Amino acid sequence: MQKREDTKRRLVRRKYEDEHKDERQAAHKVWATSINRELAEEIDEFLRKHKLTKVELIYTGYQALLYQHGPKRE
């Protein structure tokens, strides 16, 4: 696979990403997780059909779990 040539735009974007990498990592969390491919494809199809994002799926699932299990008591 041949690497694309460096254009002015690519160099500017790369510089911007390098300069803001720590800021971006501090502000966002990435979960490196995996699930069964069949289930993942089913979920992806559902999200496409209803025009939802994975972020909406996570947030809504979290809200449902909070409702189901209630606030954590110590």
Side-chain angles (χ1 to χ4, degrees):
M1 189 169 183
Q2 191 174 2
K3 186 177 176 181
R4 292 177 163 179
E5 67 178 83
D6 287 334
T7 63
K8 184 176 180 179
R9 183 180 214 175
R10 284 177 178 271
L11 294 172
V12 168
R13 284 186 179 179
R14 193 173 301 141
K15 181 180 176 189
Y16 177 87
E17 292 298 324
D18 287 342
E19 290 175 356
H20 294 86
K21 181 179 180 179
D22 293 335
E23 179 183 327
R24 197 173 50 257
Q25 286 180 342
H28 298 88
K29 174 76 175 170
V30 175
W31 290 320
T33 185
S34 64
I35 60 173
N36 177 301
R37 176 154 307 271
E38 290 176 2
L39 178 58
E41 289 174 358
E42 181 181 332
I43 292 169
D44 286 343
E45 179 61 31
F46 177 85
L47 295 175
R48 271 192 300 275
K49 180 180 176 183
H50 295 283
K51 298 180 181 172
L52 299 169
T53 66
K54 290 178 185 172
V55 173
E56 290 173 303
L57 171 68
I58 293 168
Y59 182 76
T60 304
Y62 174 64
Q63 292 298 319
L65 288 171
L66 280 176
Y67 179 78
Q68 182 180 358
H69 295 281
K72 196 173 194 178
R73 296 184 182 161
E74 295 182 24

